[in-house]
């Protein structure tokens, strides 16, 4: 008595014809594999609590009642093979192995009987993103109304760092007492099943901003993690202790519609998709025209291989399957959140691909980890100032296109340019180093900075009016990437001097100080007014990152013709959508002081 359940495997087997055709399987017999054979479970002691646990394991947030009469009829026609025990779950377990073993059934030898009973059935309710629809077995992903919880920085669907919305600002959760029960509340709240893993120690990357919750203690039946008991005091917590989860998600079979072929290892290769042509399913390639990192991310996620590290537009060096050379998918454009490449926008049956497939088929390489760059918004706010700089000191910058085009008509001896200067401190909060896309042979020598730049367009600096139109020409800044400083226990690896290796190590940051050339926007031609100042890092998604939503930094700024105020500087995605919309459309300051955050 009171032993935990130990079985080799468990499944939900669809019985009724309507459920047998559907993906994912949401209703059927609960069967356990015991001594190598699949057995049904007698429903005499079966409870909704048991159903809740089984549904959770298969990626479904909740269970529902089903039509017992149909199953009674079905059971009477077949001989069943019953498991010798019943299950006794309390309903908040993440897996049946945590449930207790219930009563032993009557019966002799190997044949247990289930007097007047029938096999236990579960019927699960899928999250809205996984709800089967009749034609394709899938409905497009939806946007939830103002969610209170989100997952960030995870490679696969249903995993990531847990972030909670409080007072309009997103923050993280400290991992003290973080366990499967609390993690399962988060997963179910987001439309997944129970938690497969409660991850501690910021293993899915560090967050930014406040740490909202600590010492979370859930019963497992809360509707939201914000209803659990917790401590709002997070003294002693830092972002190195950010909690994360991996949730059970329904088996959608997406990974079977795609394969990588010809690579040197299972993580890379030419992308081949299964498509219907003239009524038969066959493998073919994807047109590589406009194929980029965002599309590659969807492929790697669909195959469960983590993040994309590179997207390839030529794959002649990977010998794929010759019978799959024909292009069967073209015009692919993904937003990045899709679970399958077929959910991205694409041309449909009328494929158009001028270069053809074969050697020009799209390819990817995947990696379990990725970097995540974030700009320090506070430092921008603290270091911004105006400088009227004489033209004779700006020759180098002019040649490097760091000034507005009107600078070409400015007198070299008496003219000056008005520059909005600021410091950029760019942190790598991800799980792997940020490395430039180009190898050394393609780096460009920059005379102003006296070193090589490995990324020709690393950041965009722009001043926009409140309608979002550019008012200053801004510019695309190129960078040499190096570790300027690191957290206490991290070693610097990259430096710009002497044609050194370039990159930003995890836990380090690269500082471009306000006093170096091109670290500015030329606002000589800008009239006084209220503006938005915006910096975008890695704007062309040249290098793969685990989260692009935090690559934008925005500030409100007011320019009176002589002075500039910067206020409310923040990273994209750090506030609720409501607050973000107010920010973009807010007219005028309430007073002349820079508002303190």
């Amino acid at each position: 008595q009171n032993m935990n359940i130990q079985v080799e495997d468990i499944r939900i087997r669809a019985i009724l014809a309507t459920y047998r055709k559907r993906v994912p399987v949401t209703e059927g017999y609960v069967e356990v594999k015991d001594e190598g054979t699949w057995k049904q479970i007698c429903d005499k002691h079966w409870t909704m609590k048991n159903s809740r646990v089984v549904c959770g394991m298969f990626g479904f947030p909740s269970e529902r009642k089903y039509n017992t009469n149909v199953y009674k009829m079905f059971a009477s026609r077949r001989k069943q093979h019953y498991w010798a025990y019943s299950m006794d779950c309390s309903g908040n377990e993440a897996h049946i192995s945590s449930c207790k073993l219930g009563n032993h059934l009557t019966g002799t030898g190997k044949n247990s009987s289930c007097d007047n009973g029938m096999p236990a059935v579960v019927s699960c309710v899928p999250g809205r993103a996984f709800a089967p629809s009749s034609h394709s077995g899938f409905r497009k992903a939806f946007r939830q109304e103002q969610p209170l919880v989100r997952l960030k920085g995870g490679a696969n669907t249903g995993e990531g760092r847990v972030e909670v919305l409080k007072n309009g600002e997103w923050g993280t959760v400290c991992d003290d007492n973080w366990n499967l029960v609390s993690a399962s509340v988060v997963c179910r709240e987001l439309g997944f099943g129970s938690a497969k893993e409660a991850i501690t120690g910021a293993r899915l990357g560090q967050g930014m901003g406040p740490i909202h919750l600590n010492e979370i203690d859930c019963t497992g039946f809360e509707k939201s993690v914000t209803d659990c008991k917790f401590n709002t005091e997070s003294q002693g917590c830092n972002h190195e202790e950010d909690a994360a989860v991996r949730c059970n998600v329904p088996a959608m079979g997406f990974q079977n519609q795609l394969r990588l072929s010809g690579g040197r290892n299972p993580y890379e290769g030419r992308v081949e998709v299964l498509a219907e042509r003239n009524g038969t399913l066959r493998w073919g390639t994807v047109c590589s025209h406009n194929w980029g990192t965002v599309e590659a991310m969807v492929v790697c996620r669909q195959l469960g291989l983590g993040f994309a590290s590179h997207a390839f537009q030529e794959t002649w060096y990977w010998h794929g399957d010759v019978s799959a050379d024909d292009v069967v998918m073209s015009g692919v454009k993904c937003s990045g959140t899709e679970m399958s490449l077929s959910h991205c926008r694409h041309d449909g049956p009328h494929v158009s691909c001028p270069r053809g497939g074969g050697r020009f088929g799209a390819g990817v390489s995947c990696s379990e980890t990725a970097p995540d760059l974030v700009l320090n918004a506070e430092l921008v706010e603290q270091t911004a100032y105006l400088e009227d700089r004489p033209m004779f000191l700006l020759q180098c910058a002019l040649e490097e296109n760091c000034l507005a085009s009107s600078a070409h008509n400015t007198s070299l001896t008496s003219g000056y340019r008005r520059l909005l200067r600021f410091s950029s401190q760019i942190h790598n909060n991800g799980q792997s180093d940020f490395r430039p896309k180009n190898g050394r042979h393609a780096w460009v020598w920059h005379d102003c900075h006296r070193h090589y730049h490995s990324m020709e367009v690393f950041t965009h600096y722009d001043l926009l009016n409140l309608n979002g139109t550019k008012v200053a020409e801004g510019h695309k800044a190129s960078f040499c990437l190096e570790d300027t400083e690191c957290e206490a226990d991290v070693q610097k690896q990259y430096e710009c001097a002497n044609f050194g290796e370039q990159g930003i190590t995890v836990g380090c940051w690269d500082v471009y100080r306000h006093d170096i050339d091109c670290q500015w926007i030329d606002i000589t031609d800008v009239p006084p007014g209220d503006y938005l100042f915006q910096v975008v890092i890695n704007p062309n998604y040249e290098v793969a990152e685990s989260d692009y939503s935090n690559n934008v930094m925005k500030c409100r700024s007011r320019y009176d013709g002589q002075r500039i105020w910067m206020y409310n500087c923040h990273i994209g995605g750090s506030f609720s959508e409501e607050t973000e919309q107010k920010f973009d459309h807010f007219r005028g300051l309430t007073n002349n002081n820079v508002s303190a955050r």
Side-chain angles (χ1 to χ4, degrees):
Q1 222 47 26
N2 277 353
M3 280 172 48
N4 280 13
I5 292 173
Q6 286 181 320
V7 288
E8 291 151 43
D9 203 356
I10 180 167
R11 69 182 181 190
I12 300 176
R13 182 160 69 93
I15 299 298
L16 309 183
T18 45
Y19 288 100
R20 286 213 292 262
K21 292 190 184 68
R22 278 194 200 167
V23 175
V25 175
T26 56
E27 182 176 308
Y29 285 174
V30 182
E31 299 187 332
V32 293
K33 197 175 195 182
D34 183 36
E35 295 173 354
T37 54
W38 286 102
K39 300 177 180 177
Q40 289 83 38
I41 296 176
C42 179
D43 71 344
K44 272 187 153 171
H45 302 284
W46 189 259
T47 64
M48 283 306 255
K49 289 176 178 172
N50 294 354
S51 296
R52 186 172 195 261
V53 175
V54 172
C55 288
M57 283 177 64
F58 286 94
F60 304 113
S62 55
E63 70 296 332
R64 64 178 157 214
K65 298 224 167 17
Y66 57 92
N67 181 347
T68 43
N69 297 338
V70 189
Y71 283 98
K72 272 207 180 93
M73 229 167 58
F74 193 87
S76 61
R77 296 193 225 133
R78 303 264 160 106
K79 187 173 180 331
Q80 312 300 340
H81 197 65
Y82 286 105
W83 186 46
Y85 298 92
S86 62
M87 275 183 201
D88 183 14
C89 300
S90 50
N92 61 359
E93 296 90 348
H95 193 279
I96 56 155
S97 59
S98 311
C99 297
K100 298 284 177 247
L101 206 52
N103 305 332
H104 195 292
L105 299 190
T106 53
T108 53
K110 283 203 165 182
N111 292 339
S112 304
S113 67
C114 176
D115 302 327
N116 311 323
M118 60 178 214
V121 173
V122 292
S123 184
C124 306
V125 183
R128 280 163 66 186
F130 301 97
S133 65
S134 46
H135 61 285
S136 65
F138 186 80
R139 268 210 306 272
K140 271 279 193 283
F142 68 103
R143 293 245 52 80
Q144 207 177 344
E145 288 303 301
Q146 294 294 318
L148 293 174
V149 178
R150 67 183 183 187
L151 302 182
K152 298 297 269 189
N156 299 309
T157 308
E159 69 173 40
R161 180 176 59 252
V162 179
E163 297 193 348
V164 181
L165 188 62
K166 195 167 141 199
N167 305 333
E169 187 171 12
W170 288 98
T172 61
V173 170
C174 188
D175 64 10
D176 295 354
N177 302 349
W178 183 242
N179 59 20
L180 279 173
V181 174
S182 304
S184 293
V185 173
V186 168
C187 291
R188 290 182 193 264
E189 175 178 3
L190 290 168
F192 305 114
S194 50
K196 203 180 339 191
E197 208 182 336
I199 300 171
T200 56
R203 290 216 318 275
L204 294 187
Q206 293 188 22
M208 302 281 289
I211 298 171
H212 281 327
L213 310 179
N214 182 21
E215 294 173 2
I216 294 185
D217 178 18
C218 303
T219 62
F221 298 101
E222 292 86 354
K223 283 271 174 284
S224 165
V225 72
T226 53
D227 301 335
C228 299
K229 287 194 204 128
F230 55 82
N231 189 347
T232 47
E233 293 297 311
S234 52
Q235 267 105 12
C237 284
N238 59 37
H239 284 298
E240 290 173 29
E241 297 171 74
D242 283 343
V245 293
R246 275 198 185 92
C247 303
N248 288 314
V249 295
M252 302 298 288
F254 292 142
Q255 69 280 11
N256 309 326
Q257 303 160 8
L258 197 70
R259 68 187 184 193
L260 301 184
S261 77
R264 295 159 298 183
N265 59 50
Y267 281 82
E268 65 175 26
R270 182 174 81 173
V271 178
E272 295 177 358
V273 293
L274 197 54
E276 197 173 315
R277 283 284 169 270
N278 308 331
T280 57
L281 282 176
R282 46 171 302 209
W283 290 96
T285 55
V286 178
C287 185
S288 65
H289 184 63
N290 288 339
W291 180 259
T293 313
V294 178
E295 288 71 33
M297 283 284 183
V298 175
V299 169
C300 295
R301 178 183 306 130
Q302 185 172 347
L303 290 169
L305 297 177
F307 299 103
S309 51
H310 293 287
F312 300 96
Q313 294 194 349
E314 286 188 35
T315 47
W316 49 268
Y317 37 80
W318 286 330
H319 299 294
D321 189 334
V322 182
S323 64
D325 271 358
D326 291 349
V327 177
V328 293
M329 196 175 186
S330 65
V332 182
K333 188 92 191 92
C334 304
S335 68
T337 56
E338 296 89 350
M339 289 187 254
S340 158
L341 201 59
S342 58
H343 302 154
C344 299
R345 235 178 47 217
H346 58 95
D347 288 340
H350 304 294
V351 170
S352 100
C353 190
R355 288 206 300 185
R359 55 175 295 178
F360 291 115
V364 300
S365 62
C366 306
S367 160
E368 284 174 14
T369 57
D372 182 20
L373 296 187
V374 188
L375 181 69
N376 180 338
E378 273 173 57
L379 191 70
V380 172
E381 199 167 298
Q382 290 159 6
T383 56
Y385 63 98
L386 295 180
E387 183 194 4
D388 288 343
R389 194 160 176 82
M391 210 47 221
F392 65 82
L393 292 175
L394 290 170
Q395 274 313 93
C396 181
L398 187 61
E399 286 163 26
E400 301 218 343
N401 291 330
C402 297
L403 300 172
S405 48
S406 62
H408 289 283
N409 310 325
T410 305
S411 155
L412 270 178
T413 47
S414 59
Y416 68 88
R417 304 297 295 177
R418 177 158 290 179
L419 307 174
L420 163 55
R421 308 191 74 141
F422 57 94
S423 292
S424 288
Q425 185 186 82
I426 295 171
H427 290 247
N428 181 357
N429 280 355
Q431 303 159 265
S432 62
D433 296 355
F434 185 96
R435 301 298 306 274
K437 184 180 173 184
N438 292 333
R440 279 195 164 133
H441 62 279
W443 295 358
V444 181
W445 174 257
H446 275 249
D447 238 8
C448 295
H449 294 163
R450 309 295 300 159
H451 55 218
Y452 283 90
H453 283 189
S454 57
M455 284 187 74
E456 210 31 55
V457 179
F458 179 62
T459 46
H460 284 177
Y461 298 150
D462 285 301
L463 198 63
L464 317 170
N465 67 16
L466 297 183
N467 298 338
T469 317
K470 292 184 184 180
V471 288
E473 272 178 52
H475 70 281
K476 300 170 171 44
S478 65
F479 261 55
C480 159
L481 302 170
E482 69 174 356
D483 296 329
T484 311
E485 288 177 61
C486 299
E487 286 167 12
D489 49 350
V490 182
Q491 285 286 296
K492 291 184 189 180
Q493 295 185 78
Y494 304 109
E495 64 166 354
C496 296
N498 309 327
F499 201 23
E501 280 294 334
Q502 294 193 19
I504 306 176
T505 308
V506 177
C508 298
W509 51 95
D510 185 3
V511 179
Y512 258 45
R513 282 172 48 113
H514 55 81
D515 52 7
I516 65 170
D517 268 1
C518 299
Q519 189 53 37
W520 63 55
I521 292 181
D522 179 350
I523 63 163
T524 314
D525 310 321
V526 174
D530 282 311
Y531 298 104
L532 293 176
F533 170 63
Q534 180 176 287
V535 176
V536 186
I537 306 173
N538 190 14
N540 304 337
Y541 305 143
E542 265 188 49
V543 178
E545 293 187 43
S546 57
D547 184 1
Y548 287 118
S549 66
N550 58 17
N551 284 29
V552 179
M553 195 255 3
K554 289 183 190 171
C555 303
R556 291 298 304 266
S557 66
R558 163 165 284 186
Y559 173 46
D560 68 0
Q562 293 305 319
R563 294 166 297 177
I564 197 150
W565 287 268
M566 288 278 196
Y567 55 100
N568 291 356
C569 291
H570 67 282
I571 297 298
S574 55
F575 292 118
S576 67
E577 280 173 38
E578 208 179 347
T579 312
E580 194 62 53
Q581 279 161 359
K582 277 185 198 153
F583 175 88
D584 284 347
H585 300 114
F586 171 67
R587 289 271 184 275
L589 271 165
T590 42
N591 60 21
N592 199 9
N593 295 339
V594 178
S595 66
R597 270 192 308 168

